[in-house]
Amino acid sequence: MIVPLSALGPGEKGIVVNIAGGHYARQRLVSMGLSPGAMVQVIESHSMGPIIFSVGGSRFAIGRGLASKVMVRKL
Amino acid sequence: MMKIVALAGNPNVGKTTIFNSLTGMRQHVGNWPGVTVEKKEGILEYRGQRFLVVDLPGTYSLTAHSVDELVARDFLLKRSADVVVHVLDATALMRNLFLTMEILEIGLDNVIVAINKIDLAEKRGIEINVKKMEEVLGVPVVFLSAKEGIGIEELKGKIYRMANGELEAKPVVPTYDPEVEREIRHITEVLSGTSLAEKYNLRWLAIKLLQRDEEVIKLVLRHLGSEKLDEIMTHISEVEERYKRAMDLIIASQKYEFIDGLMHNFVRYSHEQSETFSDQLDRVLTHPIYGLIALFGVFYLMFKFVFAFGMPLQGLLEESFSSFGVWLAPHIANETLRALLVDGVIAGVGSVLSFFPLVFLLFLAMSLLEDIGYMARAAVVMERIMRKFGLSGKSFIPLVLAFGCNVPAVMATRTLDDERDRLLTMLVNPLIPCSARLSVISFLAGAFFAERQALVAVSIYATSILLALLMAWVISRFVIKGEESPFIIELPEYLVPSWKTLLLHSWERSKEFIKKAGTIILLGSIAIWYLSTYPAPIGTGGSYAERLGRFFEPYTRLMGLDWKAAVSLLFGIIAKENVISTYGIIYGSEEAIVGIMRPLQAYVLALVTTLYVPCIATIGAIRAESSWKWAAFTVFYMIALASFVGIVVWHIGIVLGF
């Protein structure tokens, strides 16, 4: 099932399939390891704040707007 | 000529610690010419040879979006360094190797890869084979634990050998799918006829062109003309059509695939990653509600710590300066010189320098929070709140720094990667009461509102913080409009900081404060002394200061303040501490202020002092970080705001019978 990253709950994992959104944000995400094929695990996702996730051994927080543009295959 | 060693790498990999252990105390901070990114340089001595070590800004990639990335990329592209030490975090190898590949793609053959945090990686069951890694990457590899000082000597040795041509790198570069490779070949052929071939690695240019890098597109446009460039770009779009994905994504994912292939040769993960303590901690500290409670707790403790230790030290320094003045006075025969030194220089500079312990401790506490890894979490918690006012969560850090001093806080906006966020944060920054204004607030609150001292001080802080947020909202709505930037921040590993780095860092930041006291405030104190002594002493009605005050009095009357307050505020532009010390000069003692003001006036004076015109050093910092235009804008909006608030509070106070 392919869903936006923002739809994953805490503890859920997914494989990045595609990233929509502007060139700038996309480059940022990619250089941080969030590129197609990467496995992400959501650590905290709360409707009131940014989404915390880990990818490739590092943890990041991104805004919900951006997270909804990252498409993942839910595992 | 000294050989140059550049340190490159992602943020949070421990570059600064390595820089410190390579250079010791022999380092200085300046600006890159033309841009406002800090340039840290230091000297490394090894086997009698001296090297200039340059700490490049931490970047995730060499796709230039922020000033930081542009600086790092230009430095590497121009081959300005004799040796490039690329620092990687062993616990996040995959992502860090992405930057490695970008650096190697430039065509550099003088790269040493330094894998830091190797001890942490071992604990997590990540085994790296150094021999295999060197073989596969084709570059020398050093294992480090910068914090423990492991591997530093070996790194120095390799730097020495590479700088002197005894060590070579034959780096591997990523290969992509045949279709992408065909594009790269095609573009390289087109470019090979131009003068670009002499200055750049054409494969690198081709890859950047495929990624639609703006700077590279402009560069190629100049050398090829729009017709040929268009032809290339159309080609790229066709490939994107076939892949159904943007080219920069195609290249990135193939680069990661390539890295994944390499890593199989030299990395073993011995056990599955389970949920770490950090994950659990993050769940609490970034939670919208618990996180906010934790944040208030942390900052309450921080201020508590700073004042508990800083205030007594400040009192001590203040006393020492005044006793020094008293001791010095009889030793100087010339009356004018004595007055200048004792009443002007020592009183003025001393009152500012006595705040140094407070400022230093505040920066120490904040550097500690940063190095532990907490500041990034605070930014996450504040993101939602700050966003409502047009700011980014990342703006929170420079705004907190402003409580110490606005000058380094304005400079700290450099950490914001979005230009609009950066400008906005800079413009509202001076509204946050710095420790200089704290001295004015606490003096007036203590003298006039003995019992309600704390309440008065808090009300002034709350007003200025609220106004800072409100102004951020107004400015982002009406002055610097534009799209909101996406929020992306790395949450670094929680770490026990190294004391040496911590002290160095706090010292670097608070140094500005001493510099300010030694230059602007010294000159200002002399000016104040001169204006209030000539042509006739103050109090007699003849001094320049009094005439200036009388000139502005009709205006300050609107907020219930007389000519003495007008003079004080005028001198306060140099440094806010002057607002009170001017009364000292006018009356001979600061305490004399109590007899001539009513509490309401004192309250308005404290409020206006907090809100009007940033001090000269802050104005200078805003100009240096943006432009004269924005510095002037800040001065004008703050005068208008302070006048408005002052007049309103004064009149409401009168009506209420205070």
Side-chain angles (χ1 to χ4, degrees):
Chain A
M1 190 173 49
I2 291 172
V3 293
L5 179 60
S6 53
L8 294 187
E12 288 185 321
K13 291 179 186 173
I15 303 275
V16 179
V17 185
N18 203 357
I19 304 173
H23 190 252
Y24 170 79
R26 204 165 55 210
Q27 282 298 317
R28 256 292 117 97
L29 293 175
V30 160
S31 62
M32 288 174 159
L34 204 71
S35 115
M39 189 180 81
V40 284
Q41 178 170 24
V42 171
I43 295 167
E44 177 65 275
S45 175
H46 203 284
S47 61
M48 286 160 74
I51 288 173
I52 321 289
F53 61 89
S54 68
V55 61
S58 306
R59 272 183 300 270
F60 296 97
I62 63 173
R64 293 199 79 79
L66 192 55
S68 65
K69 290 177 180 155
V70 178
M71 303 308 289
V72 297
R73 180 179 296 116
K74 199 171 161 181
L75 292 178
Chain B
M1 268 280 280
M2 227 191 309
K3 299 246 166 137
I4 297 174
V5 178
L7 285 182
N10 279 192
N12 304 317
V13 292
K15 231 152 46 73
T16 308
T17 318
I18 294 174
F19 177 77
N20 288 341
S21 33
L22 286 179
T23 60
M25 294 295 284
R26 288 157 297 179
Q27 43 185 262
H28 74 273
V29 181
N31 272 329
W32 298 87
V35 286
T36 54
V37 174
E38 268 183 17
K39 183 182 194 169
K40 271 172 74 178
E41 288 180 348
I43 304 288
L44 159 69
E45 256 189 64
Y46 188 75
R47 289 206 224 155
Q49 193 172 348
R50 284 156 71 85
F51 300 88
L52 183 71
V53 184
V54 181
D55 192 12
L56 296 179
T59 56
Y60 288 105
S61 74
L62 295 181
T63 306
H65 285 296
S66 71
V67 193
D68 274 1
E69 284 165 343
L70 209 62
V71 164
R73 173 161 124 181
D74 279 353
F75 199 92
L76 295 172
L77 262 183
K78 290 194 180 127
R79 294 161 206 275
S80 314
D82 297 290
V83 178
V84 175
V85 176
H86 169 39
V87 184
L88 277 72
D89 178 344
T91 63
L93 263 191
M94 182 99 171
R95 176 196 15 122
N96 278 267
L97 281 165
F98 187 78
L99 182 63
T100 315
M101 289 303 136
E102 293 219 309
I103 290 177
L104 297 182
E105 257 175 355
I106 286 183
L108 297 177
D109 53 5
N110 55 349
V111 180
I112 297 174
V113 165
I115 315 263
N116 196 21
K117 303 188 190 177
I118 200 75
D119 47 337
L120 209 66
E122 269 167 24
K123 263 184 226 155
R124 296 216 196 137
I126 304 169
E127 286 169 44
I128 308 167
N129 184 328
V130 66
K131 276 267 157 311
K132 280 269 174 60
M133 189 166 182
E134 279 188 333
E135 254 173 58
V136 170
L137 293 182
V139 298
V141 177
V142 183
F143 282 175
L144 284 178
S145 169
K147 247 185 73 198
E148 313 285 334
I150 298 166
I152 294 290
E153 281 308 309
E154 192 192 340
L155 178 62
K156 284 181 186 172
K158 290 216 161 133
I159 291 173
Y160 178 89
R161 285 171 53 209
M162 185 167 271
N164 293 305
E166 295 167 22
L167 194 62
E168 261 190 349
K170 290 187 189 68
V172 66
V173 286
T175 42
Y176 302 93
D177 277 5
E179 196 156 1
V180 178
E181 283 293 339
R182 200 159 48 236
E183 275 316 296
I184 295 175
R185 250 196 327 275
H186 168 70
I187 298 173
T188 322
E189 272 161 26
V190 177
L191 293 178
S192 63
T194 68
S195 57
L196 285 168
E198 295 153 25
K199 278 171 81 183
Y200 299 97
N201 179 312
L202 291 184
R203 185 179 168 85
W204 181 80
L205 276 184
I207 293 166
K208 283 292 146 187
L209 213 51
L210 285 173
Q211 290 176 309
R212 296 181 204 274
D213 184 284
E214 278 171 37
E215 299 282 324
V216 171
I217 289 179
K218 273 187 237 155
L219 182 75
V220 172
L221 181 66
R222 276 204 301 276
H223 286 81
L224 270 189
S226 60
E227 207 173 302
K228 277 194 172 161
L229 180 68
D230 280 348
E231 196 187 305
I232 293 176
M233 297 321 266
T234 323
H235 236 267
I236 297 172
S237 301
E238 282 167 20
V239 180
E240 286 178 330
E241 280 291 308
R242 282 201 288 279
Y243 273 91
K244 302 219 180 318
R245 235 190 230 169
M247 200 62 185
D248 54 300
L249 269 191
I250 300 171
I251 288 187
S253 59
Q254 290 183 11
K255 201 173 267 170
Y256 275 115
E257 271 168 37
F258 181 77
I259 293 168
D260 196 37
L262 295 183
M263 280 174 68
H264 277 295
N265 294 301
F266 55 79
V267 184
R268 295 270 172 281
Y269 296 92
S270 61
H271 50 76
E272 184 73 6
Q273 291 273 314
S274 57
E275 184 170 271
T276 59
F277 175 65
S278 295
D279 290 343
Q280 291 169 348
L281 204 55
D282 270 345
R283 204 159 285 163
V284 178
L285 291 183
T286 61
H287 190 274
I289 294 153
Y290 307 133
L292 204 59
I293 297 170
L295 185 128
F296 280 118
V298 166
F299 282 97
Y300 174 78
L301 286 178
M302 181 180 94
F303 281 104
K304 192 101 185 146
F305 158 78
V306 170
F307 289 116
F309 291 97
M311 279 305 201
L313 284 174
Q314 191 230 332
L316 214 65
L317 271 179
E318 217 173 4
E319 267 173 45
S320 334
F321 278 113
S322 77
S323 343
F324 177 61
V326 171
W327 171 84
L328 189 69
H331 289 77
I332 304 169
N334 185 311
E335 201 173 316
T336 313
L337 186 66
R338 180 171 62 215
L340 170 67
L341 281 179
V342 176
D343 304 334
V345 175
I346 297 176
V349 174
S351 72
V352 177
L353 277 185
S354 67
F355 276 92
F356 182 74
L358 273 179
V359 173
F360 182 79
L361 286 175
L362 194 60
F363 282 128
L364 186 70
M366 275 182 291
S367 303
L368 178 73
L369 290 183
E370 215 173 308
D371 288 5
I372 292 179
Y374 182 70
M375 280 299 194
R377 274 81 185 178
V380 173
V381 173
M382 292 304 289
E383 160 71 8
R384 193 174 57 96
I385 299 164
M386 303 291 266
R387 191 65 77 186
K388 291 209 168 98
F389 295 97
L391 292 162
S392 151
K394 288 190 199 175
S395 314
F396 180 69
I397 299 166
L399 290 180
V400 171
L401 278 175
F403 284 108
C405 177
N406 294 141
V407 176
V410 165
M411 296 194 288
T413 56
R414 287 171 194 163
T415 52
L416 304 180
D417 39 28
D418 182 76
E419 261 316 299
R420 182 175 159 276
D421 281 347
R422 184 168 123 83
L423 189 59
L424 190 57
T425 312
M426 207 182 316
L427 297 185
V428 300
N429 202 296
L431 280 173
I432 301 294
C434 61
S435 55
R437 280 171 278 178
L438 171 69
S439 69
V440 178
I441 295 168
S442 57
F443 174 80
L444 288 171
F448 287 89
F449 306 91
E451 283 148 43
R452 298 205 190 88
Q453 188 180 347
L455 189 70
V456 166
V458 167
S459 77
I460 290 171
Y461 265 74
T463 310
S464 48
I465 293 166
L466 274 175
L467 285 173
L469 292 175
L470 198 71
M471 283 313 295
W473 184 81
V474 171
I475 295 173
S476 70
R477 256 338 99 104
F478 301 106
V479 186
I480 30 176
K481 293 175 234 172
E483 261 182 61
E484 271 182 12
S485 64
F487 177 73
I488 310 173
I489 194 168
E490 182 179 1
L491 305 178
E493 196 74 34
Y494 292 101
L495 278 180
V496 182
S498 111
W499 280 106
K500 205 176 145 200
T501 307
L502 212 57
L503 288 172
L504 257 169
H505 208 155
S506 325
W507 167 245
E508 254 163 36
R509 283 175 172 176
S510 44
K511 208 165 57 181
E512 291 299 318
F513 193 80
I514 292 190
K515 259 198 225 154
K516 184 173 103 173
T519 52
I520 295 167
I521 292 172
L522 177 65
L523 291 175
S525 302
I526 295 172
I528 294 171
W529 172 81
Y530 179 81
L531 289 175
S532 51
T533 320
Y534 292 94
I538 202 152
T540 60
S543 67
Y544 293 124
E546 190 164 346
R547 287 186 214 168
L548 267 171
R550 297 268 184 216
F551 176 77
F552 284 105
E553 193 179 14
Y555 181 67
T556 51
R557 270 272 167 239
L558 295 173
M559 29 194 153
L561 300 173
D562 63 4
W563 70 269
K564 302 177 205 84
V567 179
S568 306
L569 289 173
L570 219 53
F571 289 157
I573 299 174
I574 297 167
K576 300 294 171 104
E577 297 90 338
N578 287 338
V579 172
I580 295 304
S581 60
T582 305
Y583 276 88
I585 297 172
I586 299 178
Y587 288 104
S589 87
E590 289 178 359
E591 284 66 31
I593 196 174
V594 179
I596 55 142
M597 269 198 197
R598 41 199 271 214
L600 180 59
Q601 283 172 311
Y603 188 80
V604 172
L605 181 61
L607 200 56
V608 171
T609 303
T610 311
L611 300 177
Y612 88 113
V613 190
C615 70
I616 286 186
T618 307
I619 299 173
I622 295 176
R623 188 205 62 84
E625 299 290 315
S626 58
S627 63
W628 274 118
K629 186 184 106 184
W630 289 115
F633 172 81
T634 312
V635 170
F636 285 117
Y637 98 74
M638 285 182 68
I639 292 180
L641 188 68
S643 309
F644 175 76
V645 173
I647 293 167
V648 168
V649 170
W650 170 248
H651 285 92
I652 290 177
I654 292 281
V655 171
L656 294 178
F658 282 107

